[in-house]
Amino acid sequence: NFSSIMKSCQGYANNLKTTLTGGLGFGAMAAIGGKAMSLVTNSVSDLSKETIETSDSMYKLQAAMRFSGYSEAEIQRIAGATGTLKTYADKTVFSLQDVMSTFGSLSANGIKDADKLTEAVGNAVAVFGGGAKEYSSVALAFSQAMAAGALHAQDWNQIINASPQLAGGLRKELIKLNPTLGNDFKGAITADMLGQAINNIGMTDMAKEAATSVTTFEGAMGNMEASAVSGMMNLYDTFAKPKVIDAINGMTSKVEAGFDKLSTGIPKAI
């Protein structure tokens, strides 16, 4: 009957909770603990949610790359568990979600060496004093400009709003590449020129060092959070994810069965 089915569903829910909070799931984080983990205790639920979302995003990105014709070796090199995107996110203050999103937008539009360009954007943001928040906004604007084939006003304004310092440095670099540009050069900047300018700024040793800096509070906390999410994702993918998915699918089938019982039982009662 409906009652027994819903009790069975509750059993799946309890199993899901146990998987997430004990055994080989996120409860294993307690064993990793120490001072570093105690610092993120208050936000562990947020980190757990981010971990699951990041794991799913990586899976979806890999699927999209396969559809686009990337070889399996290339997918693992770029978007695998030890790939360039995750390695970059782990050693910087930038979230893997933002890094993968930037790469995904660039690669989907056929941009060559999208993984290297993704890093260049992050490094360029960092060298002009930006952090994770600025990277998210600048990367979106940059991806949109590259997809459009030119730098348009709305994307340029978004870069200015996110990081005025980067906008100033980028303007100088663009004028170096094309001295004939005037002050109002929006629309005259091609995607290739914009990509070259970002590379010229972001791939310098100073910019690379800035992206991995932990000398500021924001940098240290951002780096620690990235490390926590990375470690939790490894645990989740290795141990917990299959059990979580099985538990959710089991719950779904029980819920469907429960409502089927209701749909046939209610008319009889009426």
Side-chain angles (χ1 to χ4, degrees):
N1 57 29
F2 181 76
S3 178
S4 63
I5 289 173
M6 293 313 290
K7 283 182 180 179
S8 178
C9 180
Q10 182 63 43
Y12 277 99
N14 290 336
N15 289 339
L16 176 59
K17 180 180 179 181
T18 300
T19 299
L20 288 174
T21 60
L24 294 175
F26 290 121
M29 294 309 296
I32 298 174
K35 291 184 178 179
M37 283 310 302
S38 69
L39 293 175
V40 298
T41 298
N42 291 335
S43 59
V44 69
S45 62
D46 290 338
L47 289 175
S48 297
K49 180 181 178 183
E50 183 179 346
T51 297
I52 294 171
E53 290 175 348
T54 301
S55 175
D56 285 350
S57 294
M58 180 174 283
Y59 176 84
K60 292 174 183 177
L61 176 59
Q62 291 175 357
M65 291 174 72
R66 288 188 186 94
F67 183 79
S68 299
Y70 281 84
S71 69
E72 194 60 35
E74 192 72 353
I75 291 171
Q76 294 306 316
R77 183 188 72 78
I78 296 172
T82 58
T84 56
L85 299 181
K86 187 171 182 297
T87 299
Y88 181 71
D90 285 350
K91 68 183 181 181
T92 66
V93 302
F94 309 127
S95 75
L96 182 55
Q97 281 273 43
D98 285 339
V99 171
M100 289 192 298
S101 176
T102 303
F103 169 80
S105 296
L106 294 174
S107 63
N109 286 285
I111 304 301
K112 185 179 179 182
D113 296 325
D115 56 330
K116 293 183 176 63
L117 204 51
T118 297
E119 293 185 20
V121 173
N123 297 345
V125 168
V127 79
F128 283 102
K133 181 179 179 181
E134 289 79 9
Y135 175 68
S136 181
S137 296
V138 170
L140 176 60
F142 180 77
S143 298
Q144 290 172 169
M146 296 298 285
L151 179 64
H152 295 299
Q154 65 269 26
D155 300 320
W156 178 244
N157 290 336
Q158 187 170 332
I159 293 174
I160 292 174
N161 291 333
S163 177
Q165 296 88 346
L166 172 59
L170 191 57
R171 177 189 289 274
K172 290 179 181 178
E173 190 61 37
L174 288 167
I175 291 175
K176 282 183 187 177
L177 293 173
N178 186 352
T180 63
L181 292 172
N183 289 327
D184 187 20
F185 56 72
K186 298 177 291 294
I189 305 301
T190 64
D192 286 342
M193 189 184 299
L194 179 62
Q196 187 177 346
I198 282 287
N199 262 321
N200 289 353
I201 296 172
M203 299 313 286
T204 61
D205 290 340
M206 183 180 294
K208 291 178 182 178
E209 184 178 343
T212 57
S213 173
V214 292
T215 57
T216 64
F217 178 81
E218 180 187 13
M221 289 300 293
N223 185 260
M224 186 184 70
E225 181 177 327
S227 297
V229 170
S230 176
M232 291 170 75
M233 191 175 80
N234 287 338
L235 284 175
Y236 172 69
D237 285 342
T238 304
F239 300 116
K241 189 171 186 176
K243 294 182 180 181
V244 171
I245 292 173
D246 287 346
I248 292 173
N249 288 336
M251 289 171 63
T252 300
S253 64
K254 294 300 181 182
V255 169
E256 289 174 348
F259 281 104
D260 285 343
K261 287 280 186 181
L262 280 179
S263 65
T264 57
I266 289 176
K268 294 178 182 179
I270 295 174

